[in-house]
Amino acid sequence: MDKFSDFRSDTVTKPTAEMRKAMAEAEVGDDVLGDDPTVNKLEELAAAVTGKEAALFVPSGTMGNSIAVKCWTQELDEVIIEARSHIYNMESTHMTFISRVTPRPLASKRGAMDPEEIEKNIKIPSVHLPRTSLICVENTHNNWGGAVVPLANLKAVKKVADRHEIKIHFDGARIFNASIASGIPVKEYAAVADSLMFCLSKGLAAPVGSMLVGPGDFINYGRRVRKALGGGMRQAGILAAAGIIAITKMADRLKEDHIKAKRLAKSISELQAVKLDPDDVETDIVIFGFKHPEISVSDFLDRLKSKGILALTVPQGIRMVTNKEVDDCDVERAIAAFQEILS
Ligand code: TLP
């Protein structure tokens, strides 16, 4: 097999030709000393796009989320978080490892937690009980198959948080997907949270990096935490140059990924072994259950691979993510492979 169609993630994108050119020509300086003009420009842009006071360029989404939790909490605190969220499940437990706080996972309806349930779980600290200091939300929601969490739900969560003077951190790794799918500007989503992290290196195709945005004093402290975690980068303008193109040129075309995901979902949901409601596919992620009398999930992934299609196992079954910036993310080829194996 000379070329695979890679649906494992929207992180498998390659930088575009325009990004590579901008990277080669980027003006750089020592960013730990605040001297890199391209990083400074990216941080100003990220703050402006999200309507926040300041921004910090970080090597990964996981580091952005880790810094946010560390900045908003103290040891012995508790953090309310959605049960399937990426922070809780897929970031190597930084809440306990770095921030030394306890997560309080809550069930949700496709990523939208019930504000009343949140309120019931807010704790007044005592000799026995922790202080609840932070609520984390995620949109789009990765493990809910790229679901767009409704803005009305997030606003209701903010009302509860405000009433109890609790901060909200927003894992917006794919906030541009949420914005494109719903037509709601990124700024409106960001307004429901005190801080937000978004990724440049997913569907937006930058090679490395995420942005953490929030109030100026939060970002100043976050910059110190980033250094302590080993995330202070020197001539990082080379990477930031691609990030600027990710934000200014790539966000709009995410709609093509959403169309591809829908097309894939509609076709494969007709197959008996696939458990999927195509109406649930709102953005670029397709997660489906798989049940076949003779073929296990891992056998099926091997058979797909032998036909040049790469997909991932996740707790809910199988995940496929579409992205136009992958050389060969060929939905028709994937559909044909499914049909050959399963019919
Ligand atoms: N998600 C990755 C993997 O970790 C699973 C992927 O392929 O989808 N928040 C959300 C919602 C994410 O989906 C991810 C990455 C992150 C945070 C972390 O970003 P990175 O990988 O840059 O640390």
Side-chain angles (χ1 to χ4, degrees), residues 5 38 67 73 87 92 96 101 115-116 156 162 196 209 215 227 230-231 234 273 292 297 302 334-335:
S5 265
T38 313
I67 293 171
T73 61
I87 295 183
S92 306
T96 48
V101 294
E116 275 181 30
D162 287 349
L196 177 139
K227 188 69 175 68
R234 301 295 176 177
H292 189 283
V297 168
D302 286 345
I335 294 168

Side-chain angles (χ1 to χ4, degrees), residues 152-169:
N153 170 262
L154 297 169
K155 283 184 174 171
V157 172
K158 179 172 163 45
K159 269 197 185 152
V160 172
D162 287 349
R163 231 181 354 254
H164 295 269
E165 295 182 6
I166 291 173
K167 302 292 181 196
I168 296 184
H169 173 64

Side-chain angles (χ1 to χ4, degrees), residues 8-11 59-63 65 86-87 90-91 138 140-142 171 173-174 197 199 201-202 209-210 285 312 319:
R8 288 171 302 166
S9 183
D10 47 5
T11 59
S60 67
T62 301
M63 190 182 283
N65 286 333
H86 197 277
I87 295 183
M90 299 169 94
E91 299 188 7
E138 180 177 322
T140 65
H141 201 297
N142 187 343
D171 178 348
R174 297 185 179 82
M197 182 285 292
C199 293
S201 62
K202 304 218 154 41
S210 294
I285 301 179
L312 270 188
R319 184 180 86 152

Side-chain angles (χ1 to χ4, degrees), residues 31 39 42-43 55-60 200 208-212 223 226 231 233 236-241 243:
D31 180 52
V39 172
L42 172 65
E43 290 180 347
L56 183 67
F57 184 39
V58 289
S60 67
L200 303 165
V208 177
S210 294
M211 304 306 300
L212 180 63
R223 203 173 284 282
R226 182 186 69 174
M233 298 179 284
I238 301 229
L239 301 172

Side-chain angles (χ1 to χ4, degrees), residues 187-232:
K187 265 189 198 168
E188 281 192 45
Y189 284 118
V192 302
D194 297 279
S195 60
L196 177 139
M197 182 285 292
F198 68 91
C199 293
L200 303 165
S201 62
K202 304 218 154 41
L204 301 181
V208 177
S210 294
M211 304 306 300
L212 180 63
V213 299
D217 52 356
F218 162 87
I219 291 296
N220 287 341
Y221 187 61
R223 203 173 284 282
R224 291 174 57 199
V225 176
R226 182 186 69 174
K227 188 69 175 68
L229 294 176

